[in-house]
Structure formats: C-alpha cells, structure tokens
Amino acid sequence: MQRNLLPMLMAMVLLSPLAIDIYLPSLPTMAEEFSVSNSEVQSTLILFLFAMGLGQIVIGPLADRFGRRPVALFGVILYGLSSVLAGVAQEFELLQIARVLQGLAACSTSIVVFSAVRDCYSVKESAKIYSYLNGAICVIPALAPTLGGVLALHFGWRSTFVFMTCYAILILCMVTFRFSETRPSHTISDGALYRWARYKPVLMDRHFLFYAICCMTGMGAILTYVSYSPVWLIGHLGMSELAFSGLFGINALINIGACFGAPWVIKKLGNRPTVIFALSLFVVSAALQFVVHQWGLTSPLAASAGFMLPMALLCIGFALLLGPATSMALSGFGERAGTAAAMLGFIQMSGASLLAGLIQQTSLTAPYAVICVMGGGAIILLTIMSMKRMNAWHVERLAHD
C-alpha cells in the first residue's frame, strides 16, 4: 500500500465539493448579473452534478484500462481549465458549458479516489475510509461558503473560480510528484472499453442497485437542500451572504462531526443497521421540517433557523449513510472496481441531479421540496428493507476482497 495515501485522497476528493459550495452565496448575485431566473442559476449546480455522474460511464473504464494516475492528471488539468472558463464567462450559456466540463473533470478525480480505496483496502476497512473521505468532503461546506462570501464581497463572484483554479494547480503538483499507480494487476481491462458485457455484471446485481439508489436518494436530498438554501434564505427571507454562510457552516460542522463519528457507529451497529438508522433520520428530518414550516415563523432569522435546523438531521443521516452504502454497493466487484465505482457515481450523481432538477420544475417552496425528496425516498427504501421477500436486495452478504 502506498504510504500516506489517505491524506492525498482527501485532498483530491475536495475538488468536487469545492466546485459546489464556494459560490453558493453568490447565486442570487449571479442571477441578477446574467439576468436569469433562480431556477436557471440553480441549473449551474444541477449541470455540474449531472455531468459528474454521466462522465463516470466514460471515465470509469478508462481508469481500469489505463490506470488511476493518468485519469487523475487529466481530471485535475481539465478542472483548472474549466474553472478559468467559468471565471471569464460573459454569457450565461458559456458558464453552463464550463460547469459541465468542470463536472466531467471532478468525476475523473472522484473515480480515482474511490477506486484507489477499493484497490488498497479491504471491504471492512473501506467503509471506514469512505467515511473519513466523506468527512473531508464535509469540511468544504463548512468553510467554502464563508470563503466564497468574503471573496465575492471584496472581489466579485468570479474570484471564487479563480480560487478553484489555484487549488487545481496545487493538486496537480501533488498528483504529479506524489501519487503512484494503485490499479491491481488482476483488474479486468481487456476488450472494448464501452460494451454491455463490462457493465452487465454490475447493473444486473440487485444488491448493488439497491445501495446505489440509497446513495442517490441521500445525494438528491443534499443537492435539493444545497440548491434551494441560498435562494430561500438570501433571496426569499432576505439574509445577508455572510449570515447565510454562518448558518450553512453550522450544519456543515455537524456533518463533519457525523462523518468522523460514522466509523464508530458502523463498528457498533454494522453496515445495514447504519443505513436503516440514516434513512430513519431522513424521515424524522422531513417530518420536523413540515411541522416547523406549518408553524409559520414570521421573523426572517427565526424562519431561517427553522429551515436549517431540520437540515442538520439530514446532514447527520447523509454522513452515516454514504460510507456503509458505498461499501456494500462495491463489495462484490474487486476485479472491476473502476467500472463499479463509475456506475455507482453515475446512479448517485446523475440520478440525484435529475431528482433535484425535476423538483425545481414544480412550484414547491424550499421546505416542501426537501421534504418530498428526502422523506419520500427514505420511506420507499425503508419499506423495501422491511420486506423479507426483498432480502436479496439489501441483506448484507459476504464480500469479495
């Protein structure tokens, strides 16, 4: 195993959440500057995540064929170039194109990170490593919106993309000089890159599909929460960008604690019970959000806090869900980890972006939008897990290392 691999993977995995969170406080300002609607400016988030998911299908097999390191280098370089393009865009359509390219770039590094975990750790260890990686990911929502708000306040929203460019250069140096190839020698990499036979063993596996949908539901709930929050709190309730960053950061700090505490919970409860517990938190969060919104708080600060408080439970549930669900989804695919990780990412991210995009086409306000996605999805999944005849979908099985 490569020495000091985890810190390097943690640094690489931050590229994706950084591209999501650092410019959140600027969304209302960007909508004004480009003269577009709130749903259109929210599309820059949706397009990024959809491209990140769709790109998994293309790039996953490349990671198995050519190795993790070349794919990582390609992704970091494209991330930097697309960040520059977004920063100089004068037309909204060009910004959207830049976000699609940035999503493709982020998916490259994401595949490398999660494949490297499967390459270098056992399935039992990987659940803990995934949780640590998710903990690193959750640091960004705690810090990036505040940083983005300060940058936008002093230098304009385009400075947030300049910051992403600088971070990409730093990661490029790290990958170039410190990241060695991790692809196992037994990785299946022969034959055509894109053929049904490569994806069929993964997509026909019911156990994989169920836990991939669990990941998709969690990501869909988080994306709905993230995309609606600035529009609801800043645009509707009139909070300042820095006040929004503060409230958002509190939930992110809660998420960080939950992510780093998740390995302990997984050890005590096990993978499947932890998934059940996490989905139950989604249901409780949805119920609490409904009650608080029905209460009809009139003060902007109280209404903002009332919206964000139930979201703290969502953040905890998401932190607990992703590690064991990812580990169980990938547990049977040691010989094709790159392809399996790619399909998981595709279902999780593109599916989540479609969920969030569809809910944005309705007239639902932010509280009801997150209630529908997180509450509805969790209830369906918990119902399946309560049915004995569906055991093949969700009961934990012995993994293949």
Side-chain angles (χ1 to χ4, degrees):
M1 183 187 303
Q2 184 177 333
R3 292 185 60 190
N4 301 320
L5 179 63
L6 182 57
M8 190 177 304
L9 296 180
M10 292 173 76
M12 291 169 61
V13 84
L14 297 184
L15 288 166
S16 172
L18 183 66
I20 294 173
D21 294 300
I22 194 170
Y23 82 120
L24 284 181
S26 299
L27 285 180
T29 302
M30 293 168 66
E32 288 185 19
E33 180 171 325
F34 286 107
S35 300
V36 297
S37 66
N38 288 330
S39 62
E40 286 177 301
V41 78
Q42 286 174 318
S43 73
T44 60
L45 288 169
I46 304 300
L47 287 171
F48 172 86
L49 201 66
F50 184 80
M52 189 175 175
L54 189 61
Q56 309 274 332
I57 299 177
V58 177
I59 297 167
L62 294 177
D64 281 343
R65 172 67 62 87
F66 300 108
R68 319 309 190 203
R69 191 171 185 274
V71 171
L73 289 169
F74 164 78
V76 176
I77 292 171
L78 181 60
Y79 186 97
L81 293 176
S82 58
S83 298
V84 172
L85 181 61
V88 301
Q90 298 298 320
E91 300 293 333
F92 185 68
E93 292 76 13
L94 188 59
L95 175 63
Q96 290 177 311
I97 292 172
R99 292 292 286 170
V100 169
L101 295 175
Q102 203 172 31
L104 292 172
C107 87
S108 302
T109 56
S110 177
I111 286 175
V112 169
V113 168
F114 285 92
S115 297
V117 172
R118 191 62 187 86
D119 294 340
C120 301
Y121 299 92
S122 69
V123 173
K124 184 177 180 180
E125 293 173 321
S126 67
K128 297 180 181 179
I129 300 300
Y130 290 136
S131 294
Y132 287 131
L133 290 173
N134 291 328
I137 290 172
C138 294
V139 170
I140 295 302
L143 301 178
T146 301
L147 173 61
V150 172
L151 287 173
L153 182 64
H154 292 285
F155 307 106
W157 65 265
R158 297 179 188 275
S159 62
T160 60
F161 289 96
V162 174
F163 184 89
M164 292 184 225
T165 304
C166 294
Y167 187 75
I169 293 172
L170 176 64
I171 298 301
L172 179 61
C173 294
M174 182 182 296
V175 173
T176 300
F177 297 109
R178 299 294 300 277
F179 184 68
S180 302
E181 184 58 62
T182 66
R183 183 185 62 170
S185 58
H186 67 275
T187 299
I188 297 176
S189 59
D190 56 342
L193 277 175
Y194 309 111
R195 55 191 173 94
W196 173 241
R198 180 179 293 275
Y199 299 108
K200 182 178 179 181
V202 179
L203 291 178
M204 297 301 289
D205 189 293
R206 293 174 294 177
H207 196 262
F208 169 85
L209 285 177
F210 178 81
Y211 285 105
I213 292 172
C214 285
C215 293
M216 180 192 76
T217 300
M219 184 63 74
I222 287 292
L223 181 58
T224 303
Y225 155 58
V226 167
S227 63
Y228 271 89
S229 291
V231 173
W232 181 253
L233 298 183
I234 299 175
H236 179 74
L237 298 178
M239 294 196 73
S240 68
E241 293 177 353
L242 290 180
F244 162 78
S245 300
L247 280 178
F248 197 85
I250 290 172
N251 276 359
L253 288 172
I254 292 172
N255 200 352
I256 292 170
C259 282
F260 284 99
W264 181 84
V265 176
I266 295 168
K267 182 178 179 180
K268 292 293 183 180
L269 298 182
N271 283 335
R272 183 176 177 275
T274 301
V275 170
I276 293 173
F277 179 55
L279 293 173
S280 299
L281 287 179
F282 284 11
V283 177
V284 174
S285 177
L288 184 59
Q289 184 68 256
F290 179 80
V291 170
V292 170
H293 191 63
Q294 288 297 307
W295 195 355
L297 299 172
T298 55
S299 165
L301 181 59
S304 299
F307 174 76
M308 296 298 278
L309 179 61
M311 296 298 94
L313 288 179
L314 167 64
C315 292
I316 294 172
F318 182 69
L320 295 176
L321 173 70
L322 218 53
T326 298
S327 180
M328 287 195 287
L330 299 180
S331 62
F333 303 102
E335 78 287 356
R336 55 179 83 239
T339 300
M343 295 311 302
L344 175 62
F346 168 68
I347 294 171
Q348 175 181 320
M349 296 170 200
S350 293
S353 65
L354 287 175
L355 281 176
L358 287 173
I359 207 72
Q360 286 176 6
Q361 301 309 307
T362 70
S363 59
L364 293 174
T365 58
Y368 291 117
V370 294
I371 287 170
C372 287
V373 176
M374 69 178 174
I379 288 172
I380 292 172
L381 292 169
L382 287 171
T383 300
I384 293 174
M385 297 184 83
S386 69
M387 302 166 64
K388 289 187 176 179
R389 66 175 180 270
M390 303 291 287
N391 278 358
W393 289 77
H394 58 82
V395 171
E396 194 166 1
R397 62 190 181 186
L398 293 177
H400 304 289
D401 284 335

